Each structure stands twice: as structure tokens, then as C-alpha cells.
Amino acid sequence: MEASFRWVLLTAVAPVAWGANYYVTREFLPADRPLWGAALRALPAGLLLLALRPRRPRGAWWWRTAVLGLLNTAGFFVLLYIASQSLATSVASTVMAASPLAMLLLAWALTAARPARAHLLGALVGLAGVGLMLLTRSEPVSLPGLAASAAAMLVSSLGYVLAARWREGADVLATTAWQLLAGGLVLLPLAAAFEGPLVVPAGRELAAFGYVAVVATALAFAAWFAGLRRLPAGTVGLLGLLNPLTGVLLGTVVAGERLGPPQFAGLLLVLAGVALGRPRGGSGGGSGGGSLGRLLARPLGRLLARPLGRAPRSRRSRSVGRVAGAGVAGGGGGGVGDGGGSGGRSVRSGSE
């Protein structure tokens, strides 16, 4: 029992760090440099994770890593940076908390696999909560920020689907490290071309970049993957709720953002929707991230491997529910974003 509690505390580091990342990005990082901001988050974190798991991709995983790095790192980090800068912290964290629910609907559309009623209800409740949060605010909501959030959900969901479709995988932590490096290297020339030369951060800005790279990315992923290997999926799913709760708490208590009763009701609806869509049971044991593979790669991989059409209802419901549950556990993001994880199954053939 004591050992399990320690693993819960360690795993909780990840969603709390991801939730705080919205506040740190908005308050301490430059608003006009999303490309440099994403690159400075990805590259140091990728190097740190690679030091923890020094394995190289092999075979098809070289180009797969490049594709997933483009989506899950370059695209997702830039869009998340823009959303965090454009939206109030409480709003950004609540909107992005609904990403696994949107992912469930996307998986349904792409695979023609109908989710279980509870999961579908969770998606509808959560999306209704986001609408209530946005439509009842007295202050105007940034349309570019909302567009960036929606695009971030789409990009990360696509990366999630691709990782699940590629059923043979690699060590999850090593694959994540290479995705971070690939995405960061893509961002470097774009940042130099569109945002000018790098301005070396100093003072609070340097500390903020250190936080997003070391704590909210490298440490968070290491803690999250460790928890996925050792804790039941349902427990991890509930821990994922700390992501939006942390963002809302920092936004309201520290940043002084105001949420009235309708906004709190919207937040509660989002949390209720995520809780309905979370995984039910399952154990986190295994080695090399195999639990993450069971949550991620197998269900959607099986569905995408067959022709589009109607599968038997019981299997459709179970698979889509688990796909959504994996995203819910991560609190959003299809790969190396603020939650989730899409390295595929952990097998030795993908990296060395």
C-alpha cells in the first residue's frame, strides 16, 4: 500500500506540471516567440530523456519518429504555446482538458467504431462544459487562442492515431525523446527565419524555460510513464484530472482570473465528462511501458488495421472506450504534448 501511494505521488507530478505549464507560459515567456519557445522546450527535454534511455530508432521508426515529431512536438508545442499566451490560464487548461473527449469522437469518425454509451455521454458532457465555460464569460475570449487550441487537439489526435496504427513500436521513453529532438530540430530553422535570432533568456525567463523543458516535459514524461507501468489505468485516469484543476487553481488564485458560477459549472462538467471517459480498471504492471501499449496502440491499431465499417458492437465499445481512456489519463495531447503518450507498444525491435 505504501509503495502504491509513492507511485501515485510520483505519477501526480506529471499532470500537476502540465497544468502549471499554462500559467508559466502565459506569465513568464515571450508572447511573440512561439517557435523559439517550443524549440527551447523540446530540445533540452529530448536530450535529458535520451540520457535516461539511450536507444536509437531502428528501421521504419526513423521516419515514423520524424512524422510524429513534426505532429506531436513541432506542431503541438507551437499551438499549445499560442493557446497558453492567448487565453486565460483557467480557460486554456479547461479547453485542453477536453482534448481526449474530442479524440474519442475523432476515433469514432475514423474507425466507424461506436463508443460505449458512458464514454459517448462523457464526451458530450465534457464538450458542453467547455461551451458553458466559454459562452458565459464576461471578458471576450481570444478567437486565435481558441483556434490554436482546436488545432492542437487535431494535430495531437492525428499523431495519436498514427502511433496506434503503427503497431510495432519502440521503447516509449526513447521514442518520446527522439520525437522531441526531431520536432525541436525542425523548429530551429523556422524560428530563426520567422522570429529572428535567438535572444538568450535570462532571469525569470530563463527559469521559466527551465521549468517547461525540465519539469513540465522531461521530468513529467519520466514520472508519467513510470506510473503507467505500475498503477491501474483507472487510477492514472483520475490523476489526469489534476491537469485542468492545477491550471484553473493557478489562474484564479495566483493570476487573479475571475470565474463565476457558470464557469465553475462548466469546469465541473468537463471534469465529469473526463471521469466518465476514463479507463475502468486494468493494472499497470509490466515492463518497458507495456501498459501504455495496452492503453494506446493495441485497441486503435486493431481497428485501423481492418477495413472501415461496423465492427461487432461489444468490441467497438470496448476498444473506443479504452482509446479515449488513454487520452483522458494523459489529460490531453496525443504524444509528447501535455499528457498522453504515443510511442506505440514497447518492444525491443524498435530501438537499440
Side-chain angles (χ1 to χ4, degrees):
M1 179 67 70
E2 183 179 350
S4 296
F5 181 69
R6 287 199 299 266
W7 283 115
V8 167
L9 291 179
L10 176 64
T11 308
V13 168
V16 170
W18 290 325
N21 185 60
Y22 301 105
Y23 172 78
V24 172
T25 300
R26 179 176 173 84
E27 297 294 328
F28 301 109
L29 297 185
D32 58 346
R33 298 213 156 189
L35 295 172
W36 277 120
L40 292 177
R41 177 182 182 182
L43 290 173
L47 291 173
L48 286 172
L49 291 182
L50 192 61
L52 290 176
R53 198 64 60 91
R55 296 190 179 123
R56 293 182 289 110
R58 194 169 61 182
W61 269 103
W62 280 109
W63 67 265
R64 291 176 179 177
T65 296
V67 172
L68 293 176
L70 183 63
L71 294 170
N72 294 336
T73 299
F76 183 76
F77 277 13
V78 170
L79 291 166
L80 191 68
Y81 193 102
I82 295 172
S84 299
Q85 290 284 358
S86 305
L87 299 173
T89 298
S90 56
V91 174
S93 58
T94 302
V95 171
M96 290 306 299
S99 60
L101 307 177
M103 191 181 302
L104 182 148
L105 299 178
L106 179 65
W108 185 10
L110 291 178
T111 65
R114 186 175 182 178
R117 291 180 181 177
H119 298 124
L120 181 58
L121 177 61
L124 296 176
V125 168
L127 295 177
V130 171
L132 183 61
M133 163 73 82
L134 297 177
L135 296 176
T136 58
R137 289 180 61 86
S138 57
E139 305 88 352
V141 176
S142 167
L143 292 181
L146 288 180
S149 294
M153 291 184 195
L154 180 62
V155 166
S156 63
S157 296
L158 179 58
Y160 189 99
V161 169
L162 287 176
R165 179 65 179 90
W166 296 326
R167 297 184 62 181
E168 72 277 10
D171 181 275
V172 178
L173 200 60
T175 302
T176 300
W178 284 103
Q179 287 181 47
L180 287 164
L181 292 174
L185 291 174
V186 167
L187 288 170
L188 284 181
L190 295 176
F194 291 100
E195 297 178 357
L198 172 65
V199 177
V200 179
R204 294 197 309 173
E205 188 176 289
L206 178 62
F209 273 118
Y211 174 84
V212 299
V214 177
V215 178
T217 308
L219 176 61
F221 281 119
W224 189 250
F225 293 148
L228 282 170
R229 292 172 57 188
R230 293 171 174 85
L231 294 175
T235 301
V236 177
L238 287 178
L239 289 175
L241 297 178
L242 293 173
N243 184 335
L245 287 175
T246 301
V248 171
L249 184 64
L250 288 175
T252 54
V253 176
V254 181
E257 300 167 4
R258 294 185 178 181
L259 292 183
Q263 288 81 53
F264 275 113
L267 172 64
L268 292 176
L269 285 176
V270 171
L271 297 180
V274 171
L276 283 172
R278 72 183 177 88
R280 301 295 195 270
S283 67
S287 62
S291 157
L292 185 63
R294 286 192 293 273
L295 288 172
L296 256 167
R298 293 177 182 172
L300 191 54
R302 291 196 202 101
L303 289 169
L304 292 175
R306 66 174 66 196
L308 293 183
R310 294 179 63 84
R313 187 180 188 282
S314 60
R315 183 174 298 177
R316 291 200 315 270
S317 301
R318 184 167 56 251
S319 296
V320 174
R322 293 176 68 189
V323 166
V328 168
V336 288
D338 288 338
S342 62
R345 288 180 301 163
S346 175
V347 296
R348 298 297 182 190
S349 62
S351 61
E352 55 184 13

